[in-house]
Amino acid sequence: MEIRVLFIYQSSTKIMLSKVATNDGHAENSAYFDGWKAFESDPYCPAKNPRGVIQLGLAENKLCFDLVQEWVVENPSASICTPQGSQDLMEVAIFQDYHGLPHFRRAVAKFMERVRGDRVTFDPDRIVMSGGATGAHETLAFCLANPGDAFLVPTPYYPGFDRDLKWRTGAQLYPVMCESSNGFMLTRASLESAYAKAEEQGIRVKGLLINNPSNPLGTFLDRDTLRDVVSFINDKNIHLICDEIYAGTVFTEPDEYVSIPEIIEEYIGPINLDLIHIVYSLSKDLGFPGFRVGIIYSYNDRVVNNARKMSSFGLVSTQTQHLVASMLSDEVFVERLLRASSERLRRRHNAFTSGLEQVGISTLKSNAGLFFLMDLRGLLKEPTFEAELEMWRVIIKDVKLNVSNGGSFHCSEPGWFRVCFANMDDETMAVALKRIREFVNQIMMRNGGVNNSETSPPKKKCRGTAERSLIEYIQQRIKKRPLPSPMQFERLLKLNTE
């Protein structure tokens, strides 16, 4: 009888919950989030759990926290939770409307300009607060689309977009297929093709969502591509949401990065500014995801007004606003932080990708972000997403690395894996590289040193097994570049046979 009553109670509870709350729109049922769960249940610790899972699936920026902590210690009055800052307690703690503290909006606008090389200007009155970029995207989706309407989005794209823009709004995301043959570049032809297919399927396209710099590619769109993007949305009369949360993570020749406001200012011909909206946050450039500081910047007055009303469901606390405003108003600190961040990201990226190259693993050339795409296509048993998932499970379970498979990013072809590199120290990176090296060597030994792809060269019987395997592997994975020098070859051979 007790079991029956419990069953009835649980069933009734489930029935009473809403469809929105109980559907799978949060997108947690994917390999991307399963990797996080694997890490959380068995986290790597060099002292307490040296065989635990190393987190390579979380795009966090921890490389400059020493500078941030130093600033906080040297500026105790920035926080209302210190004796030096407590005099501002009442002003900050009492009720504030959802416009945000004026000095916070001014400081954020100035920081956004500085991140973009002071080549653009932002109006503080157009800044709308939100609980992180997640809330900003959902708010824009609510403002711009009705249930069933779609946003075009180039692939591969951040899996969280499926949650942020779709789950509670009822909007759709329609893929714009991009290929590795041109580095997953976005083209006008691919945009036109996706738009036409959506229309053929009776789907109303309300906008285009781009991530610049891109997660997971670690690349940014050039000026000509952005001009095509603006021209496309202008011609189709659809909205553009430009997610620029990685704008401050460019680490090679940052002056080449182009923000969408630059394109607007130099655009030749009529342009409907009401169609253009920017999402930003402090989660990546400053490494403050826990502060939940998200920003909507729209050129559309009605969107600004309506988004500001909706922001009341996800405001940034005034305590956080006060601290952030004080920090970002320190121009000397901001300049030092951005310069150090760019250099440290560059060094870490180069160290990690060079370590992979030593075992013949290539990566998509990237110059921004907190991650890169690792190319394991030639190591798959077969060129399918099923084989990719099988390899991903081995990497999680046996190699104990949480890397994210390309399929979870809606990648157009299997075998690409995103690797995050800025959320760990140098020692942890060395352990991760060692595990990857051992994993690659195991596959090479199992396959006789040859990839399973159809383009693998035939075995050469004139050489020893280890030398033959390494040469064939290098030829296949480094795409027929010249073989290494004798000294480099001996080093690679040692790595391959250890």
Side-chain angles (χ1 to χ4, degrees):
M1 178 62 68
E2 291 180 359
I3 295 176
R4 183 188 303 174
V5 171
L6 177 62
F7 175 76
I8 294 173
Y9 174 75
Q10 290 177 336
S11 299
S12 299
T13 302
K14 184 175 181 180
I15 292 172
M16 292 175 66
L17 298 181
S18 73
K19 292 181 180 179
V20 172
T22 56
N23 68 26
D24 292 330
H26 195 272
E28 281 196 355
N29 297 324
S30 71
Y32 178 74
F33 290 106
D34 286 345
W36 287 16
K37 296 170 186 175
F39 166 77
E40 290 168 357
S41 64
D42 185 25
Y44 168 80
C45 176
K48 298 180 180 180
N49 191 20
R51 281 303 304 161
V53 177
I54 294 177
Q55 177 64 287
L56 301 178
L58 182 58
E60 277 189 333
N61 188 358
K62 297 181 179 179
L63 299 185
C64 286
F65 254 94
D66 59 321
L67 303 182
V68 174
Q69 289 178 320
E70 179 183 310
W71 186 91
V72 170
V73 170
E74 293 177 353
N75 296 270
S77 61
S79 172
I80 60 173
C81 298
T82 63
Q84 295 87 343
S86 60
Q87 68 271 13
D88 295 323
L89 175 61
M90 180 177 293
E91 179 185 354
V92 173
I94 61 175
F95 174 78
Q96 300 285 341
D97 66 28
Y98 36 69
H99 285 71
L101 299 175
H103 62 294
F104 166 78
R105 288 186 284 113
R106 288 194 299 269
V108 169
K110 186 66 177 176
F111 181 71
M112 291 171 65
E113 293 170 0
R114 182 64 197 89
V115 163
R116 292 153 181 81
D118 290 318
R119 296 185 297 273
V120 298
T121 58
F122 291 98
D123 181 356
D125 290 333
R126 290 195 172 277
I127 284 180
V128 181
M129 294 184 301
S130 177
T134 293
H137 277 295
E138 184 183 62
T139 298
L140 275 177
F142 269 125
C143 287
L144 304 179
N146 292 309
D149 292 344
F151 293 94
L152 303 179
V153 55
T155 65
Y157 66 81
Y158 169 54
F161 285 156
D162 291 315
R163 169 201 63 206
D164 300 350
L165 284 93
K166 294 171 53 179
W167 182 26
R168 300 193 297 185
T169 69
Q172 302 183 59
L173 295 183
Y174 196 91
V176 179
M177 304 308 293
C178 302
E179 310 291 341
S180 66
S181 57
N182 66 349
F184 296 103
M185 287 180 59
L186 179 64
T187 66
R188 179 67 183 256
S190 61
L191 287 170
E192 294 285 359
S193 175
Y195 185 88
K197 290 179 181 177
E199 282 200 322
E200 290 174 2
Q201 297 170 18
I203 298 173
R204 185 185 185 192
V205 176
K206 287 299 295 290
L208 167 65
L209 166 65
I210 60 174
N211 191 199
N212 185 42
S214 165
N215 176 10
L217 300 180
T219 61
F220 52 80
L221 301 176
D222 60 32
R223 182 172 261 99
D224 288 340
T225 302
L226 285 172
R227 286 174 181 150
D228 283 343
V229 164
V230 172
S231 173
F232 173 78
I233 65 104
N234 212 38
D235 291 346
K236 305 298 184 186
N237 196 35
I238 61 175
H239 293 277
L240 171 64
I241 300 176
C242 190
D243 183 327
E244 297 188 347
I245 68 171
Y246 292 99
T249 66
V250 178
F251 51 81
T252 58
E253 301 182 4
D255 289 343
E256 292 185 1
Y257 172 71
V258 182
S259 177
I260 206 68
E262 290 184 63
I263 302 301
I264 292 173
E265 292 181 6
E266 67 185 28
Y267 194 79
I268 299 175
I271 180 173
N272 185 355
L273 290 179
D274 283 346
L275 298 175
I276 298 178
H277 325 277
I278 298 170
V279 168
Y280 187 62
S281 85
L282 303 183
S283 298
K284 311 303 180 181
D285 290 351
L286 286 183
F288 290 172
F291 278 17
R292 309 308 301 151
V293 179
I295 298 297
I296 296 171
Y297 188 90
S298 177
Y299 293 89
N300 186 317
D301 292 339
R302 293 183 64 193
V303 169
V304 170
N305 292 334
N306 285 288
R308 188 158 283 152
K309 295 174 186 176
M310 299 189 72
S311 71
S312 60
F313 294 99
L315 291 175
V316 180
S317 75
T318 49
Q319 177 181 339
T320 299
Q321 292 182 55
H322 182 69
L323 174 63
V324 167
S326 300
M327 182 180 293
L328 298 186
S329 297
D330 187 338
E331 295 184 6
V332 174
F333 167 74
V334 168
E335 180 64 28
R336 180 189 178 203
L337 178 70
L338 292 177
R339 185 169 59 249
S341 177
S342 177
E343 176 60 22
R344 294 180 187 184
L345 286 170
R346 182 190 63 79
R347 289 203 306 262
R348 174 59 64 80
H349 172 274
N350 290 348
F352 212 129
T353 54
S354 296
L356 293 176
E357 287 177 1
Q358 290 178 358
V359 288
I361 296 299
S362 63
T363 60
L364 184 73
K365 184 178 180 180
S366 56
N367 45 19
L370 313 175
F371 33 70
F372 55 81
L373 280 187
M374 177 171 62
D375 185 0
L376 299 184
R377 289 175 296 173
L379 300 182
L380 296 179
K381 290 183 178 180
E382 55 185 11
T384 64
F385 285 105
E386 290 76 13
E388 177 187 272
L389 267 178
E390 181 181 348
M391 175 176 284
W392 173 82
R393 293 187 184 100
V394 171
I395 294 174
I396 287 285
K397 182 179 178 181
D398 300 334
V399 188
K400 296 296 186 74
L401 298 174
N402 176 29
V403 297
S404 305
N405 66 308
S408 63
F409 288 81
H410 306 272
C411 192
S412 59
E413 55 193 62
W416 294 92
F417 292 78
R418 191 193 70 167
V419 177
C420 297
F421 60 81
N423 62 353
M424 69 194 77
D425 55 28
D426 291 338
E427 291 73 20
T428 303
M429 179 187 70
V431 175
L433 282 170
K434 182 175 183 293
R435 292 183 184 182
I436 294 174
R437 186 184 73 185
E438 293 172 347
F439 170 65
V440 171
N441 286 339
Q442 288 174 2
I443 294 181
M444 289 174 60
M445 291 177 63
R446 184 188 67 197
N447 297 341
V450 183
N451 294 329
N452 287 311
S453 60
E454 295 179 358
T455 56
S456 295
K459 294 182 179 180
K460 298 180 179 180
K461 298 181 180 180
C462 60
R463 295 185 179 271
T465 302
E467 290 185 6
R468 182 186 68 232
S469 299
L470 186 58
I471 288 176
E472 291 171 346
Y473 188 79
I474 291 172
Q475 289 175 331
Q476 174 64 19
R477 300 304 302 135
I478 308 185
K479 300 178 180 178
K480 299 182 180 180
R481 283 183 284 179
L483 289 175
S485 67
M487 184 178 297
Q488 292 172 324
F489 180 82
E490 290 179 5
R491 184 181 182 188
L492 286 168
L493 182 59
K494 181 180 178 182
L495 288 171
N496 185 48
T497 55
E498 279 183 351

